[in-house]
Amino acid sequence: MTQPRLRLKAPATQRNREPIRQVLQQYLPQPARVLEIAAGTGEHAIYLAHQLPNIEYWQPTDIDPAALGSIDAWRHADPHPALQPARYLDTTTTPDSPAIAYNTLLAINMIHIAPWHAAEGLMQLARHTLEDGGILYLYGPFWQQDVVPVESNLAFDASLRERNPAWGIRDLEQVSALAESAGLYCEAIHAMPANNLSVLFRKGLKA
Ligand SMILES: C[S@@+](CC[C@H](N)C(=O)[O-])C[C@H]1O[C@@H](n2cnc3c(N)ncnc32)[C@H](O)[C@@H]1O
């Protein structure tokens, strides 16, 4: 008998999914064809696919088998016609050719909980899979020049580095430079709850 797949829950998702939706709604190409990297439990995919307008295709991915199972369990519990079965995608390896032309790439709470190499791979993925004019959306904590780090982010960064010395909150300037080297420019930065940022990159040349 097949085991039922477990729907995992990340409490932060309940708090950040609606603020994320509000930002995404302003920038999402229409219709949206979304490749979600590091989709984790799948809760963002379910919520955003249902709540954002005109989602034509949503491909959730992750590297963790438990995450892939959870995404599919959520998908079965609350189906959306655009939401595809979860797929394995590791940004540190060379990506396959994309199944479709994506115009949106999401990575929520990922680049600080992975080695820098994963951020480099993410930008290469954007270079190879995003249509011109498409967006790359990052969500998470970042260090910003001229912004004094808050205590909670300093403590979070220390805890990440303790878990894995290759992890840690990233410097937004370095992330932007990486994005530029992959043909994207930073279009907007939004302050989010709990000292996180939404960072929107767009593929192409800045007007
Ligand atoms: C903190 S979780 C975030 C999950 C979800 N986006 C959220 O905000 O709840 C980080 C996720 O990144 C995934 N991840 C780590 N390294 C990765 C890589 N190189 N490529 C793709 N996903 C990766 C992990 O498996 C994990 O699901």
Side-chain angles (χ1 to χ4, degrees), residues 91-108:
T91 65
T92 63
T93 61
T94 311
D96 296 335
S97 299
I100 65 149
Y102 292 105
N103 56 24
T104 305
L105 200 53
L106 305 184
I108 300 171

Side-chain angles (χ1 to χ4, degrees), residues 10 13 37-40 44 62-64 67 89-92 108-110 113-114 118:
T13 313
I37 309 303
H44 283 127
D62 205 285
I63 54 169
D64 177 1
L89 192 156
D90 180 350
T91 65
T92 63
I108 300 171
N109 284 322
M110 182 224 171
I113 312 189

Side-chain angles (χ1 to χ4, degrees), residues 23-41:
V23 172
L24 273 177
Q25 184 147 347
Q26 299 173 46
Y27 298 93
L28 205 64
Q30 294 290 299
R33 294 180 297 278
V34 181
L35 178 59
E36 184 185 3
I37 309 303
T41 63

Side-chain angles (χ1 to χ4, degrees), residues 39 59-62 67-72 75 83-88:
Q59 177 63 68
T61 69
D62 205 285
L68 298 176
S70 175
I71 296 163
D72 281 339
R75 200 171 56 85
L83 197 54
Q84 306 301 308
R87 286 184 56 187
Y88 179 90

